[in-house]
């Protein structure tokens, strides 16, 4: 079957319309704060909108069905096209004059990685900072899910797109129609963002800082409007606890949030992935807090205002914040955790491979995959003793299809291979071992802060241009869960049958 190129370009044009609209919103913010770059951001939005309109007009006559191959192409190229167009506000305002740097910042935004090349964030115009945060928010729930919500207007079914974009081994549907599912997910996403903005404003953040950090928290992104990230508010613990709460929510399956709002609390409590996610956070927080309290010198690792409510509370807060930030791949920092003893450095490095829940905005491997891997590994012992017995892996008291188990195993192997190859390529640019493995784990897992020269209190400005492009590729395949992008590199994908 030949590819329907018209529908592919039609979708890409639609995505550019979304992007251009959000740029115009950023131009409005720029106008309100009179930062001097309103026209440039407005021009970027108009250019993006025009390209999107032209693409949609020339492809308006197309078949109304999209198959799985076309879905994968739209998702993968959609993220690239969005990132390419997303560089315009940076380049036209000369906030980031280098195209390579601008593309890196934009890809980091859409993939919710949060790695930045900006040396002085606070000197950047407010309209650009808002656009930077918006790239996180757009990418957080998935550009394609946003497009699916309006597909009825085009008379197109979007199940193929949702399958390629779904953030986990399977996509829980809240409603039989996929468009209604997308709408409900976005409603929850928007509601959480608005709630966090309100709470942060009441807690003492300026409204501009509050809305930017809310956009970046719910998307588990990590961009901040301050050079010191969340450490800027180390003297205001309440602000950090609010961000902790919403990082936790952003790292959970949004379907569970929907069930909670519908009063189906039992479905949340008994969900195996949620229980393991909560246990991981609790166990690693206790370990981190105890070691910070007895072994680490918080005053050296914190950027500003090390302790406010006492040493025990400070150790607990910093430990909880950083554990959640790394597990959910948000990437905010309250301190330089690489100074918290070698054991904690290794621990946080390991947490980069954990990830949040499937169906969340987090990156990484995802908790449900670890759960299936662990269960299947233990069952191998039983299968060894009873080779003729049929012992399926169970999840939430239901037997899992063996093809899903094979998919999870293949994903994990491919993920680790991508990490090893990623680190090897970084080392080719004369990046030291610690920094190379940190970069590979962080970009592939969409975490943000890495290790070594690219740790929590550093940025990615020192990364060579070619290494930045490699990092962008790792961010993209990590955000789209490997298969969606890597399948495009297989010969059989492009064969017409």
């Amino acid at each position: 079957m030949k590819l329907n190129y018209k529908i592919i370009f039609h979708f890409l044009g639609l995505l550019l319309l979304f992007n251009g609209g959000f740029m115009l919103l950023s131009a409005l913010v720029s106008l309100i704060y009179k930062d001097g770059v309103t026209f440039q951001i407005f021009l970027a939005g108009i250019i993006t909108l025009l390209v999107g309109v032209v693409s949609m007009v020339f492809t308006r006559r197309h078949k109304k069905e999209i198959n799985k191959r076309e879905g994968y192409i739209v998702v993968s190229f959609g993220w690239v096209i969005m990132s390419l167009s997303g560089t315009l506000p940076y380049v036209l305002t000369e906030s980031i004059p280098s195209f390579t740097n601008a593309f890196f910042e934009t890809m980091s935004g859409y993939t919710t990685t949060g790695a930045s090349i900006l040396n002085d964030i606070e000197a950047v115009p407010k309209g650009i900072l808002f656009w930077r945060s918006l790239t996180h928010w757009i990418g957080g729930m998935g550009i394609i899910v946003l497009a699916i919500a309006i597909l009825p207007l085009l008379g197109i079914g979007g199940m193929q797109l949702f399958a390629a974009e779904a953030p986990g081994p399977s996509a829980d549907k809240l409603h039989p129609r996929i468009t209604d599912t997308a709408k409900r997910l976005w409603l929850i996403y928007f509601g959480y963002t608005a709630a966090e903005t309100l709470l942060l404003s009441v807690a003492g953040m300026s409204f501009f800082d509050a809305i930017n950090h809310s956009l970046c928290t719910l998307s588990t992104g990590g961009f901040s409007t301050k050079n010191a990230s969340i450490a800027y508010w180390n003297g205001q613990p309440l602000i950090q606890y609010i961000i902790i709460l919403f990082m936790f929510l952003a790292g959970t399956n949004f379907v569970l949030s929907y069930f909670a709002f519908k009063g189906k609390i039992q479905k949340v409590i008994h969900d195996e992935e949620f229980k393991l996610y909560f246990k991981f956070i609790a166990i690693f927080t206790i370990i981190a807090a105890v070691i910070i309290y007895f072994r680490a010198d918080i005053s050296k690792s914190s950027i500003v205002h090390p302790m406010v409510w006492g040493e025990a509370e400070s150790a607990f807060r910093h430990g909880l914040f950083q554990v959640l930030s790394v597990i959910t791949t948000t990437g905010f920092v309250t301190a330089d955790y690489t100074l918290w003893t070698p054991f904690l450095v290794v621990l946080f490095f390991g947490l980069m491979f954990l990830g949040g829940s499937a169906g969340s905005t987090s990156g990484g491997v995802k908790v449900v995959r670890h759960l299936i891997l662990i269960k299947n590994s233990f069952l191998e012992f039983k299968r060894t003793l009873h080779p003729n017995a049929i012992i399926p892996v169970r999840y939430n008291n239901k037997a899992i299809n063996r093809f899903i188990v094979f998919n999870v195993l293949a994903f994990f192997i491919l993920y680790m291979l991508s990490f090893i190859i990623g680190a090897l390529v970084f080392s080719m640019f004369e990046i030291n071992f610690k920094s190379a493995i940190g970069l590979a784990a962080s970009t592939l897992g969409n975490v943000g802060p890495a290790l070594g020269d690219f740790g929590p209190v550093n940025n990615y400005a020192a990364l060579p241009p070619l290494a930045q492009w490699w990092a962008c590729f790792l961010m993209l395949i990590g955000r789209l869960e490997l298969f969606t992008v890597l399948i495009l590199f297989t010969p059989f994908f492009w064969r017409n049958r």
Side-chain angles (χ1 to χ4, degrees):
M1 186 183 294
K2 289 186 178 181
L3 285 170
N4 183 359
Y5 288 102
K6 281 191 174 182
I7 200 170
I8 292 170
F9 281 100
H10 198 78
F11 270 107
L12 295 180
L14 178 64
L15 293 175
L16 288 174
L17 290 184
F18 279 121
N19 226 19
F22 281 115
M23 286 180 197
L24 295 183
L25 181 60
S26 301
L28 179 62
V29 171
S30 175
L31 180 65
I32 292 170
Y33 285 97
K34 299 177 181 178
D35 59 10
V37 294
T38 305
F39 175 74
Q40 292 93 321
I41 301 175
F42 178 78
L43 181 62
I46 293 299
I47 292 170
T48 305
L49 283 170
L50 284 175
V51 175
V53 168
V54 169
S55 179
M56 292 191 74
V57 167
F58 278 96
T59 58
R60 64 186 182 278
R61 293 180 180 175
H62 57 263
K63 287 192 300 183
K64 299 298 183 183
E65 276 304 313
I66 181 168
N67 62 39
K68 185 170 277 191
R69 280 205 307 166
E70 289 151 2
Y72 283 121
I73 291 171
V74 169
V75 172
S76 298
F77 282 92
W79 285 78
V80 175
I81 291 295
M82 293 288 276
S83 297
L84 284 170
S85 62
T87 62
L88 284 175
Y90 296 124
V91 174
L92 293 180
T93 61
E94 296 186 348
S95 301
I96 308 177
S98 163
F99 176 73
T100 294
N101 286 346
F103 186 81
F104 179 90
E105 196 81 10
T106 314
M107 181 62 79
S108 179
Y110 283 120
T111 57
T112 71
T113 304
S116 179
I117 50 82
L118 292 172
N119 287 312
D120 188 0
I121 296 166
E122 293 169 37
V124 175
K126 281 186 163 56
I128 292 297
L129 287 179
F130 186 72
W131 168 245
R132 188 168 167 262
S133 300
L134 269 181
T135 59
H136 267 344
W137 199 73
I138 298 165
M141 184 58 80
I143 300 164
I144 307 304
V145 177
L146 176 62
I148 289 169
I150 66 154
L151 286 184
L153 299 176
L154 306 175
I156 299 170
M159 188 62 220
Q160 290 88 345
L161 291 178
F162 190 79
E165 172 64 16
S170 62
D172 287 301
K173 294 172 70 175
L174 312 179
H175 192 275
R177 293 184 62 190
I178 195 67
T179 49
D180 290 320
T181 295
K183 288 174 185 176
R184 282 161 174 76
L185 291 173
W186 269 98
L187 186 62
I188 294 167
Y189 191 53
F190 180 84
Y192 277 156
T193 307
E196 187 183 359
T197 302
L198 178 63
L199 289 173
L200 288 176
S201 298
V202 171
M205 260 194 193
S206 69
F207 178 75
F208 180 78
D209 287 334
I211 193 168
N212 275 274
H213 284 90
S214 298
L215 293 172
C216 298
T217 304
L218 267 302
S219 60
T220 63
F223 281 156
S224 176
T225 55
K226 303 297 181 184
N227 292 325
S229 188
I230 308 303
Y232 183 87
W233 290 278
N234 274 356
Q236 295 169 275
L238 181 58
I239 285 176
Q240 296 183 351
Y241 280 117
I242 291 169
I243 293 173
I244 283 169
L245 170 63
F246 284 95
M247 279 197 295
F248 177 81
L249 291 173
T252 60
N253 190 332
F254 273 70
V255 173
L256 295 183
S257 291
Y258 176 80
F259 289 145
F261 289 129
K262 294 287 285 185
K264 299 176 181 177
I265 305 297
Q266 291 299 317
K267 294 197 76 168
V268 179
I269 295 172
H270 295 299
D271 183 80
E272 287 190 62
E273 184 186 31
F274 178 76
K275 288 192 288 186
L276 187 59
Y277 170 68
F278 185 84
K279 287 175 184 175
F280 276 151
I281 291 168
I283 292 167
F284 293 129
T285 296
I286 292 169
I287 292 170
V290 169
I291 292 175
I292 292 168
Y293 183 76
F294 287 105
R295 297 287 304 278
D297 188 344
I298 300 177
S299 62
K300 289 182 180 178
S301 60
S302 292
I303 303 166
V304 287
H305 304 297
M307 291 174 286
V308 178
W309 293 349
E311 289 187 16
E313 182 279 329
S314 185
F316 170 76
R317 173 163 42 92
H318 282 295
L320 175 60
F321 191 100
Q322 290 308 150
V323 164
L324 257 174
S325 182
V326 176
I327 286 180
T328 62
T329 72
T330 306
F332 284 141
V333 295
T334 59
D336 185 356
Y337 55 75
T338 60
L339 300 178
W340 288 349
T341 76
F343 176 83
L344 284 182
V345 174
V346 175
L347 176 67
F348 284 117
F349 175 70
L351 294 183
M352 290 181 185
F353 295 89
L354 192 55
S357 305
S360 73
T361 58
S362 299
V365 176
K366 301 291 192 303
V367 173
V368 69
R369 286 196 180 97
H370 288 286
L371 182 61
I372 292 171
L373 280 170
I374 292 166
K375 285 193 169 193
N376 187 63
S377 298
F378 277 109
L379 286 178
E380 281 301 318
F381 291 113
K382 284 188 178 180
R383 292 174 188 139
T384 302
L385 288 173
H386 308 285
N388 296 322
I390 299 173
I391 312 172
V393 177
R394 293 186 173 274
Y395 175 67
N396 285 340
N397 297 319
K398 293 179 181 177
I400 298 175
N401 188 305
R402 63 193 181 96
F403 293 111
I404 292 177
V405 178
F406 294 157
N407 179 277
V408 170
L409 289 169
F411 178 89
F412 190 77
I413 292 168
L414 197 56
Y415 194 93
M416 296 311 296
L417 278 173
S418 300
F419 162 68
I420 293 166
I421 294 169
L424 281 171
V425 174
F426 280 127
S427 68
M428 290 169 60
F429 297 101
E430 297 186 355
I431 295 170
N432 63 67
F433 173 74
K434 186 177 180 180
S435 300
I437 62 169
L439 281 169
S442 180
T443 52
L444 187 62
N446 307 128
V447 178
L451 300 176
D453 298 334
F454 306 94
V457 296
N458 301 316
N459 61 22
Y460 285 61
L463 203 61
L466 286 176
Q468 286 187 33
W469 286 102
W470 178 243
C472 287
F473 177 72
L474 291 179
M475 285 189 265
L476 179 65
I477 65 171
R479 182 63 182 89
L480 296 182
E481 310 231 328
L482 305 182
F483 293 114
T484 305
V485 179
L486 296 181
I487 196 173
L488 302 183
F489 293 92
T490 59
F492 58 80
F493 180 85
W494 300 99
R495 287 189 195 130
N496 292 320
R497 302 184 200 188

